[in-house]
Amino acid sequence: MHQRILILDYGSQVTQLIARRVREAGAYCEIHPGDVSDEFIRSQEGLKGIILSGSHASVYAEDALQVPAAAFNAGVPVLGICYGMQAMARQLGGVTEGSDKREFGYAEVRAHGHTKLLDGIQDFTTAEGHGMLKVWMSHGDKVTALPPGFKLMASTPTCPIAGMADEDRGFYAVQFHPEVTHTVQGAALFQRFVRDICGCVGDWNMPDYVQEAIANIREQVGDEEVILALSGGVDSSVAAALIHQAIGDKLTCVFVDHGLLRLNEAQQVMSTFADNMGLKIIHIDASDRFLGKLAGVTDPEAKRKIIGREFVEIFQEEAAKLSNARWLAQGTIYPDVIESAAAKSGKATGIKSHHNVGGLPDTLNLKLLEPLRELFKDEVRKLGVALGLPPAMVYRHPFPGPGLGVRILGEIKREYADLLRQADAIFIEELRNTVDQETGKNWYDLTSQAFTVFLPVKSVGVMGDARTYEYVVAMRAVQTTDFMTADWAELPYSLLKRTSGRIINEVRGINRVTYDVSSKPPATIEWE
């Protein structure tokens, strides 16, 4: 049993980032709704600390969620963030009110009192000798009176109580958001809370987790067999490698090629898993079936539904042929679980329900095996490396489930997919081959996601002495840490020029290349 930090979620869009910070500090944590019962908190084995998240709501609203009393009586340190600070203040005898001066974005916070949480943690010192933190604020309410036993820990000119602490009880609270990258010392603050204040020993890391996960799979599955849908993406690939180490040839993978994969991807998947790792894989070439169903369809959501439905039907057909399979394995990861739980509870805004959670139809009559459901994406990648998967596969950019189906605008045709595959491969190759002199890294590693989009329009061009009338592609590359916001990558002009020239000269049917300079928001990363 790992020591654990319990995170109570009050609907913030960045609660997952709190969990990632805690995991980075070497402690296991779980996110649960902010209104869990007192009994739930008291039942937590190995509990070392509690963190109260932010929220889009106000603590004084009629339907505001209350922090369970047991959180303050559990005998463990508590950290309140934004709404969590305001709720802590209000419920422990302080005052929280609406502010006439809201703070959204960058702020500089002065630390007071040399509390254990902030002692020695600062970004710069003022001429008067005050320690200052560069942070990110997002609030319209504020604490105006401290609860009994608390002292001031931080302030800004517009928020006189930007942090408070009752060190006798181990209660700390900050109005800013230390979980986001904009708060420069955020990682140091979580490290201080998790390791020094809560006393976690740092027993959470992926190399050690491998044997623990293998033991869990063996205990769960026993002598039965498992079937897994292998997409070639990071999550399903790591799940396959992990389960294979646990149960060997009692795992059967089904790899469905829907005709919308990247260049040579099917061959790469089969080479990596079947040839080099010895996995048992059923390879289904269903490209004709998918492209036939997609003919004439232009609506993005309709395309997604068709691709999803066909995949399920093919998987059902193959599963029915395996009479000994009793388990369905999926690459569900922890964000999928959190998002679906939040969507069902209605405690958070704008969070999606995930296709993996709930999985494939009940008619499969299979039990569900989800060995990655406690892990975040960065942890899945580290696990993949620990399992011996090629780093190039583990650390490659995200690829959507519908594949090129959402990167071909409008109707999907085989011709369009073939052109896009070639153009995308050239773009990725040039990103990998171009090294940034300042960092020494190639531009594929410097970008978080990069791809090419096929536009269903033609433009006039000239090649040699002849007029051309051919298709257009757009290149897209972004940089982000959490994929909730993203900036377009400022790629070198020489890289853009070289890539554009290669695509136009090597891909017959494309005569114009553009580069997408939209950030998220207001745009999304994918075009559809």
Side-chain angles (χ1 to χ4, degrees), residues 506-520:
E506 297 177 29
V507 184
R508 297 290 298 271
I510 296 174
N511 70 353
R512 192 175 299 271
V513 176
T514 66
Y515 185 56
D516 182 350
V517 293
S518 310
S519 293
K520 176 187 179 181

Side-chain angles (χ1 to χ4, degrees), residues 18-40:
I18 300 175
R20 289 185 62 190
R21 292 288 198 186
V22 173
R23 298 275 183 96
E24 288 166 1
Y28 179 71
C29 63
E30 290 183 356
I31 298 173
H32 290 278
D35 59 350
V36 294
S37 66
D38 289 338
E39 290 74 21
F40 176 84

Side-chain angles (χ1 to χ4, degrees), residues 25 27 64 92 114 124 128 166 182 184 201 211 217 230 249 268-269 282 352 364 374 380 408 419 461 468 479 481 518:
L92 297 182
H114 301 289
F124 66 95
E128 296 79 18
D166 179 344
H182 306 70
V184 178
V201 297
Q211 293 308 315
I217 293 169
L230 179 64
D249 62 6
Q268 290 169 4
V269 169
I282 299 171
K352 65 182 178 182
L364 280 173
E374 294 180 338
V380 172
I408 298 173
L419 291 173
T468 62
Q479 294 173 315
T481 56
S518 310

Side-chain angles (χ1 to χ4, degrees), residues 52 61 65 69 86 106 113 141 154 157 180 199 204 225 262 299 307 314 319 327 418 442 444 484 518:
L52 313 175
L65 295 180
Q86 297 163 11
Y106 176 81
D141 300 330
V180 301
W204 180 255
E225 296 191 12
R262 290 167 284 201
D299 178 72
I307 293 169
I314 292 172
W327 292 85
D418 290 340
N442 68 57
Y444 183 85
M484 299 178 69
S518 310

Side-chain angles (χ1 to χ4, degrees), residues 147 151 294 485:
K151 65 180 180 181
L294 289 165
T485 62

Side-chain angles (χ1 to χ4, degrees), residues 137-412:
M137 290 277 199
S138 180
H139 68 101
D141 300 330
K142 63 183 180 181
V143 175
T144 56
L146 293 169
F150 280 76
K151 65 180 180 181
L152 184 66
M153 186 170 66
S155 66
T156 72
T158 57
C159 186
I161 304 177
M164 62 183 193
D166 179 344
E167 299 207 90
D168 290 338
R169 291 188 283 179
F171 294 169
Y172 298 85
V174 292
Q175 186 58 65
F176 56 89
H177 286 267
E179 67 271 32
V180 301
T181 55
H182 306 70
T183 297
V184 178
Q185 298 296 331
L189 190 150
F190 278 101
Q191 182 84 7
R192 177 69 55 80
F193 180 73
V194 169
R195 301 295 286 270
D196 298 341
I197 295 174
C198 295
C200 291
V201 297
D203 62 350
W204 180 255
N205 64 81
M206 286 306 99
D208 290 346
Y209 181 72
V210 171
Q211 293 308 315
E212 179 183 331
I214 287 174
N216 290 338
I217 293 169
R218 287 174 178 166
E219 181 181 359
Q220 195 173 357
V221 173
D223 294 328
E224 297 174 328
E225 296 191 12
V226 178
I227 182 172
L228 177 144
L230 179 64
S231 69
V234 174
D235 300 335
S236 70
S237 297
V238 173
L242 179 62
I243 297 169
H244 183 251
Q245 283 208 15
I247 63 173
D249 62 6
K250 288 189 291 185
L251 168 68
T252 299
C253 296
V254 176
F255 174 63
V256 179
D257 181 353
H258 50 29
L260 299 168
L261 299 174
R262 290 167 284 201
L263 189 66
N264 300 324
E265 186 157 23
Q267 298 94 310
Q268 290 169 4
V269 169
M270 294 303 293
S271 173
T272 298
F273 289 98
D275 301 340
N276 298 325
M277 296 180 63
L279 269 72
K280 189 164 53 178
I281 303 179
I282 299 171
H283 181 193
I284 309 296
D285 183 354
S287 55
D288 289 342
R289 178 169 171 173
F290 277 89
L291 294 174
K293 295 286 186 178
L294 289 165
V297 179
T298 59
D299 178 72
E301 192 60 27
K303 290 192 291 186
R304 287 179 181 273
K305 288 180 178 178
I306 289 170
I307 293 169
R309 184 183 68 240
E310 289 303 308
F311 174 82
V312 168
E313 290 181 359
I314 292 172
F315 192 81
Q316 283 181 295
E317 293 165 9
E318 295 304 318
K321 301 174 185 177
L322 300 171
S323 58
N324 295 324
R326 297 290 180 268
W327 292 85
L328 165 67
Q330 292 192 153
T332 305
I333 63 176
Y334 197 39
D336 305 338
V337 177
I338 298 167
E339 289 168 356
S340 290
K344 290 175 183 176
S345 69
K347 295 296 190 296
T349 59
I351 295 180
K352 65 182 178 182
S353 180
H354 198 278
H355 68 278
N356 270 1
V357 184
L360 295 167
D362 294 336
T363 53
L364 280 173
N365 296 315
L366 297 173
K367 295 174 283 188
L368 202 56
L369 178 64
E370 298 175 317
L372 309 180
R373 66 179 288 119
E374 294 180 338
L375 307 183
F376 285 97
K377 178 72 81 173
D378 54 328
E379 294 174 320
V380 172
R381 295 185 193 278
K382 292 174 184 175
L383 179 61
V385 172
L387 288 166
L389 287 175
M393 170 175 280
V394 173
Y395 284 100
R396 66 179 180 174
H397 292 176
F399 189 60
L404 301 182
V406 292
R407 293 178 179 173
I408 298 173
L409 305 192
E411 183 181 5
I412 297 172

